[in-house]
Amino acid sequence: MGERVRDKVAFVTGAARGQGRSHAVRLAEFRDQQTLRAAVADGLEEFGQLDIVVANAGIFSTAPSPTMSESMWRDMIDVNLTGVWNTCQATMQPLIDAGRGGSIVLTSSSAGIKTGPNITHYSAAKHGVIGIMRSLAAELAPHWIRVNSIHPTTVATDMIFNDTIYRLFRPDLDSPGADDVRDVYQALNLLPIPWVEAADISNAVLFLASDEARYVTAVALPVDAGATQR
């Protein structure tokens, strides 16, 4: 793996994504451009270059649209869409100035391609990520900076492995667990699996970040076990 991005430096937001919503909300401080720019500057000072940017921070929640609170909508857009934009804006100029080209990978979702009920806020943010990706891909192409997005199906992290999600999908049970929602998640995918592993998404990010994808840009890449084709 290391050889594929040898001698390259990556800036990744949302590295604690698998730790659950509380950690992701903590990362909402990335809404502040000054904080992001300071982090990028620190990285450049330490490593001397920037080649790869992965905007990965995100949260997830569900609510019927008629009763969705203003704060729920705002938090979702702020973290999942504005946070992605802020990451891109804080890193674009250093990538351009370096003159080495580069790769920006934005984490969207299968819900950014095909959506469902009770996730209007989440779907809006993830669809918006595609808009950012396609626009920046066109804008940054003359600098040999590639921009792509990843669209996972359900990923085996604390974002879905929690009591709130279990009860949402199995309200008929007093204390549902992961095994009780397995069939629900599997029904979302074409392949007979309930969820993918975080490593499956990392492998796709690695490909897009590497020189193996040197001519791949403006692509919305599903890693979704066929979920968007259901």
Side-chain angles (χ1 to χ4, degrees):
M1 176 183 291
E3 293 299 316
R4 299 169 72 184
V5 289
R6 185 185 179 96
D7 299 325
K8 294 186 177 181
V9 175
F11 180 78
V12 182
T13 63
R17 176 175 181 172
Q19 299 301 309
R21 186 178 187 279
S22 63
H23 289 185
V25 171
R26 178 65 181 87
L27 287 169
E29 69 183 36
F30 283 119
R31 302 174 199 179
D32 178 7
Q33 278 283 6
Q34 289 185 342
T35 301
L36 269 172
R37 292 183 188 278
V40 172
D42 289 344
L44 286 171
E45 183 176 353
E46 181 172 356
F47 298 105
Q49 66 187 67
L50 179 64
D51 305 281
I52 300 162
V53 175
V54 182
N56 186 58
I59 59 174
F60 178 76
S61 62
T62 65
S65 294
T67 59
M68 185 179 295
S69 68
E70 181 181 352
S71 62
M72 182 176 285
W73 172 270
R74 185 173 55 250
D75 287 347
M76 186 66 69
I77 299 301
D78 281 355
V79 177
N80 287 13
L81 184 58
T82 304
V84 168
W85 165 245
N86 285 345
T87 298
C88 292
Q89 195 172 49
T91 55
M92 279 186 285
Q93 198 60 52
L95 285 172
I96 293 170
D97 292 344
R100 297 163 52 96
S103 173
I104 299 175
V105 182
L106 311 181
T107 300
S108 180
S109 167
S110 58
I113 299 175
K114 179 182 178 182
T115 189
N118 302 321
I119 56 169
T120 302
H121 56 336
Y122 183 77
S123 181
K126 294 303 187 179
H127 274 77
V129 169
I130 298 181
I132 292 174
M133 177 271 289
R134 288 177 174 160
S135 183
L136 293 186
E139 188 172 344
L140 299 176
H143 303 284
W144 283 99
I145 298 170
R146 300 176 295 103
V147 188
N148 298 284
S149 57
I150 294 282
H151 299 262
T153 185
T154 307
V155 183
T157 69
D158 290 346
M159 188 176 285
I160 65 160
F161 292 155
N162 61 78
D163 291 339
T164 299
I165 297 297
Y166 299 154
R167 292 192 182 99
L168 173 70
F169 288 111
R170 293 302 306 269
D172 55 310
L173 300 178
D174 291 333
S175 300
D179 287 340
D180 298 309
V181 298
R182 181 179 295 270
D183 290 344
V184 177
Y185 282 124
Q186 185 163 317
L188 300 175
N189 302 324
L190 284 181
L191 296 177
I193 57 168
W195 42 69
V196 299
E197 300 298 325
D200 297 312
I201 311 307
S202 298
N203 289 338
V205 171
L206 176 61
F207 166 70
L208 291 175
S210 74
D211 289 340
E212 294 171 11
R214 61 182 177 169
Y215 300 133
V216 179
T217 195
V219 167
L221 177 62
V223 186
D224 67 347
T228 54
Q229 304 303 311
R230 293 292 290 184

